[in-house]
Amino acid sequence: MGKRELLLVLGFAVVGTIVYQFTARPAAEGEPRFSLSTVIDHFRRGVRGNRATAETTTHADYPVSDETSELRVSFDKGSAETLTITGEDREDVSSELHVWSNGFDDAEAERYAHATVLKGTEAGGRLSFGLTFPREARQRANITLHVPRKMRISIARYSGKLAITGTRDVELLDSRGEATVRDITGRVAVSHRGGDLNIADVATIKLTVRGADVRIARVRGDLTVQAQAGELTASELEGAVDIESNNTEVTLDRLDATKSPIHVTATNGSVKINGARTDTRIDARNAEVTVSLARPTTLAVYADGGEQVEVTPAPGGFQFDAVTSGGGRISAPDKLGDSKIAVKVENAEQRASGVVNGGGPTITVRATHGEIVLRTPDSVRMPEAPEPPKPPAPPRPPKLSKLESR
């Protein structure tokens, strides 16, 4: 394109702009109108960006009818950085919304911050909360809700920092990030991915997690977990335990109050149970297993894949029955108390069995390709060699009578 053609194009553009300004219909109230100043303003915004910021905090109260028993929160992904829900002795719901927003200037940033709204709607026995943001600029919100203790909490697709304490039941659907759930009188059902998850002082738990670091403590009822990729540590459990894990490091500890059976199914990863007191079964594939018993109880471990199985029995009597095949081996003390564990080798298979201290619950271990190690319980460990007796003190000379001393 030559200079003449370029000048003609620019001329047509200028003439077209002038004609549009004179012939365009008037803009409706509130509707932006095309103008040269508008173009320049948009250009300045694109160059300078939103440099100003503003913050605002608003409070609101929501009365709750007697029929309403559930509070539901559903936010868009990333819309709220923190969400804190606290159960209290109250009849209504109180909210605190803290919003940060940016803008082209201070007035615009403050206007956008005030345009962020937390809205509660009550219907069908449920109080639902949603969060709306203006499309312009960027906003961040921190939300605190004070609710009646009797309410059930349901949260869907939340990905910020979450804390729930002191309510009745809790349900988290597809939550992400850091979450804490404590002091719940009823059931806790969680589907969580990524981040840290801490649950303590609850009635029962049903948990599905992936890629999370999970800490559980003081569960009064049953614990059911499906875990994939991450860590799971649970302690002070009272009810039945049923865990299915994949690529997860599972640790159960401080089981003094456990009254029901424990069952763990593990693929890859590891299983470590410290101080089991109730019937325990572990099905492991390519997962290392370590179990110690706090008192004689039935234990069954079925392992496949070549990882080690280590068992420490409790003080007292028990029966031991172990078989490893596919080239695995069994290591056991020659003598436990007044009993002997015999290890027999037949081709690629090893067997060990024995009755210890008069017998009792059976410890059964089956392994393929892996090593089975039986440790000595503390109470029957060989005592340390006693210290040699101290040499007797030299005899004292006899006392002389007064006549002999003269």
Side-chain angles (χ1 to χ4, degrees):
M1 181 183 294
K3 293 182 179 180
R4 180 181 299 176
E5 289 81 0
L6 181 59
L7 290 174
L8 288 173
V9 171
L10 292 176
F12 279 116
V14 172
V15 172
T17 301
I18 295 174
V19 171
Y20 174 82
Q21 292 292 328
F22 282 101
T23 59
R25 65 175 179 83
E29 184 178 355
E31 179 184 349
R33 180 174 179 179
F34 176 81
S35 65
L36 187 59
S37 62
T38 302
V39 174
I40 295 174
D41 182 62
H42 281 293
F43 178 76
R44 290 173 57 197
R45 287 175 176 269
V47 173
R48 292 184 56 187
N50 294 324
R51 299 184 178 182
T53 62
E55 296 184 46
T56 181
T57 301
T58 56
H59 297 82
D61 294 326
Y62 305 85
V64 178
S65 64
D66 294 337
E67 292 76 19
T68 298
S69 60
E70 179 180 348
L71 183 142
R72 178 160 189 156
V73 177
S74 181
F75 296 154
D76 292 336
K77 183 178 179 181
S79 59
E81 286 194 333
T82 65
L83 174 60
T84 303
I85 301 177
T86 304
E88 299 176 346
D89 295 327
R90 59 188 305 140
E91 299 299 326
D92 62 346
V93 173
S94 174
S95 70
E96 177 181 291
L97 172 64
H98 182 82
V99 180
W100 173 95
S101 178
N102 65 358
F104 183 71
D105 53 31
D106 292 340
E108 184 178 87
E110 186 171 354
R111 185 171 70 253
Y112 291 154
H114 283 286
T116 303
V117 177
L118 177 67
K119 185 178 180 180
T121 304
E122 187 177 11
R126 174 187 297 169
L127 179 60
S128 301
F129 280 94
L131 189 62
T132 59
F133 288 91
R135 295 183 178 180
E136 301 84 359
R138 284 189 304 114
Q139 294 80 35
R140 296 195 300 265
N142 298 315
I143 301 169
T144 301
L145 298 175
H146 299 272
V147 306
R149 294 185 185 276
K150 64 181 181 181
M151 297 200 80
R152 177 180 183 270
I153 308 301
S154 176
I155 299 177
R157 297 180 301 278
Y158 182 74
S159 60
K161 185 176 181 180
L162 175 65
I164 304 174
T165 58
T167 64
R168 191 185 72 184
D169 299 326
V170 173
E171 182 181 28
L172 304 182
L173 301 175
D174 195 21
S175 63
R176 301 186 180 214
E178 182 180 346
T180 300
V181 180
R182 302 178 66 92
D183 299 322
I184 306 302
T185 58
R187 180 174 180 265
V188 174
V190 177
S191 172
H192 187 82
R193 178 178 295 191
D196 296 339
L197 176 61
N198 296 280
I199 304 175
D201 299 298
V202 301
T204 63
I205 297 179
K206 184 176 182 181
L207 179 63
T208 302
V209 291
R210 182 171 184 176
D213 187 355
V214 184
R215 297 289 183 269
I216 298 173
R218 296 179 296 282
V219 182
R220 299 182 295 276
D222 296 345
L223 170 66
T224 304
V225 180
Q226 289 185 332
Q228 183 174 359
E231 296 183 15
L232 170 65
T233 301
S235 62
E236 300 176 83
L237 311 174
E238 297 185 24
V241 178
D242 189 359
I243 298 174
E244 183 178 344
S245 66
N246 192 328
N247 288 315
T248 304
E249 296 180 11
V250 178
T251 302
L252 303 182
D253 204 357
R254 301 170 66 183
L255 303 173
D256 296 348
T258 305
K259 306 177 183 66
S260 299
I262 296 173
H263 182 205
V264 179
T265 302
T267 302
N268 301 322
S270 64
V271 178
K272 186 174 184 180
I273 301 178
N274 299 320
R277 292 172 172 268
T278 57
D279 292 354
T280 301
R281 172 168 175 157
I282 301 171
D283 296 285
R285 182 177 180 85
N286 299 324
E288 183 177 340
V289 177
T290 304
V291 183
S292 66
L293 304 180
R295 69 180 182 188
T297 186
T298 301
L299 170 66
V301 180
Y302 299 91
D304 183 18
E307 298 293 338
Q308 178 176 287
V309 177
E310 179 181 313
V311 176
T312 303
F318 65 95
Q319 299 182 56
F320 185 65
D321 179 17
V323 178
T324 180
S325 59
R329 60 188 299 267
I330 299 176
S331 301
D334 293 335
K335 194 172 183 181
L336 289 172
D338 58 355
S339 308
K340 211 175 172 184
I341 299 294
V343 179
K344 299 180 180 180
V345 180
E346 298 179 2
N347 298 325
E349 183 177 274
Q350 292 191 10
R351 295 175 174 270
S353 61
V355 177
V356 178
N357 294 335
T362 301
I363 296 176
T364 304
V365 183
R366 297 291 185 268
T368 304
H369 305 295
E371 181 180 7
I372 300 173
V373 179
L374 179 65
R375 300 296 185 189
T376 305
D378 292 338
S379 68
V380 297
R381 292 185 188 277
M382 294 300 294
E384 297 180 358
E387 296 182 0
K390 296 181 179 179
R396 295 181 180 179
K399 292 184 179 181
L400 299 177
S401 63
K402 293 182 179 180
L403 292 177
E404 291 177 335
S405 63
R406 289 181 180 179

